[in-house]
Amino acid sequence: MAPEGGGDDAFVHISAVERAGMRTLDKDQRVSYELETNTRGKTSAVNLQSA
């Protein structure tokens, strides 16, 4: 995902999409999300919601 205001792209795992009740993300779909860093230092988007 690319932040609307610019900045680095965010990785989103399909499980985060499914937890949000979505099947997929469409190109240019707007969502809100939080960034979370796992124990291995990888940052990904979580808590997705349609915007």
Side-chain angles (χ1 to χ4, degrees):
M1 286 191 288
E4 185 175 80
D8 294 335
D9 288 354
F11 172 80
V12 60
H13 194 275
I14 188 64
S15 63
V17 174
E18 291 169 346
R19 277 194 295 276
M22 297 179 246
R23 295 189 64 203
T24 62
L25 290 177
D26 296 324
K27 183 179 179 180
D28 297 326
Q29 180 176 349
R30 299 177 89 160
V31 295
S32 63
Y33 60 92
E34 297 174 11
L35 293 176
E36 180 177 273
T37 303
N38 68 18
T39 57
R40 292 179 279 160
K42 184 170 183 169
T43 302
S44 59
V46 296
N47 299 327
L48 279 64
Q49 296 181 352
S50 293

